[in-house]
Amino acid sequence: MTSDTIARRPYRPCVGVVLANPAGQVFVGQRADWTTPAWQMPQGGIDPGEGPRDAGLRELQEETGVGAELVTVEAETADWVAYDFPTEVAATRWNGKFRGQTQKWLLARFHGQDDQIRIDTEHPEFSEWKWVAPDAALALIVPFKREVYASVLAEFAGRI
């Protein structure tokens, strides 16, 4: 598959969630399907007929066990933010259908206790998780997503 072929494919509509605790730290999880360091925040596809907020709360529940009753959605990015997959990822994810993802991001404040975060879900996305300062999160994020994360964290700065 060539990069020209990939560039003609659409972006997958997604949502991401910056889950922040009362101390101003953010949740990051190590992807369960990567053996090398590959941390990210909860994110996933938007189903047909679903808006970003509903998709974000669903993905948060599916990936962390954190239900809507444990968070307050405080903000949403003004615009969609897109990124391209590396060629080897684009060729294998979703049968090579997408060139990357375009995302809306939510800032959600966690009001629960840490033991209410359960990454041992039916289809685990993360093998481990931790709270980190927002600026420390960028160094952990898989490189091809860092620009998106930097943009989102900058937009939410002062609110996390």
Side-chain angles (χ1 to χ4, degrees), residues 38-56:
W39 296 79
Q40 68 178 46
M41 295 177 186
Q43 66 177 56
I46 298 175
D47 292 338
E50 190 176 45
R53 181 186 175 103
D54 289 338

Side-chain angles (χ1 to χ4, degrees), residues 10-32:
Y11 286 105
R12 177 177 178 248
C14 277
V15 64
V17 179
V18 177
L19 182 64
N21 68 16
Q25 298 170 308
V26 296
F27 172 101
V28 292
Q30 166 64 36
R31 288 187 59 97

Side-chain angles (χ1 to χ4, degrees), residues 137-159:
L138 285 180
L140 298 171
I141 300 305
V142 66
F144 68 90
K145 294 182 182 183
R146 281 192 190 138
E147 189 174 322
V148 166
Y149 277 73
S151 170
V152 169
L153 292 172
E155 185 170 343
F156 292 155
R159 301 170 97 171

Side-chain angles (χ1 to χ4, degrees), residues 86-160:
T87 303
E88 65 276 8
V89 174
T92 59
R93 293 259 170 100
W94 300 286
N95 297 317
K97 183 177 176 182
F98 302 105
R99 71 183 287 179
Q101 300 191 108
T102 185
Q103 301 174 313
K104 273 290 200 163
W105 280 82
L106 307 175
L107 171 60
R109 183 75 52 198
F110 181 60
H111 301 295
Q113 301 298 315
D114 285 0
D115 64 358
Q116 291 174 291
I117 296 175
R118 300 297 310 254
I119 60 170
D120 58 340
T121 61
E122 184 177 345
H123 303 285
E125 293 274 335
F126 304 120
S127 58
E128 61 181 294
W129 72 274
K130 59 187 171 183
W131 294 113
V132 298
D135 58 342
L138 285 180
L140 298 171
I141 300 305
V142 66
F144 68 90
K145 294 182 182 183
R146 281 192 190 138
E147 189 174 322
V148 166
Y149 277 73
S151 170
V152 169
L153 292 172
E155 185 170 343
F156 292 155
R159 301 170 97 171
I160 295 175

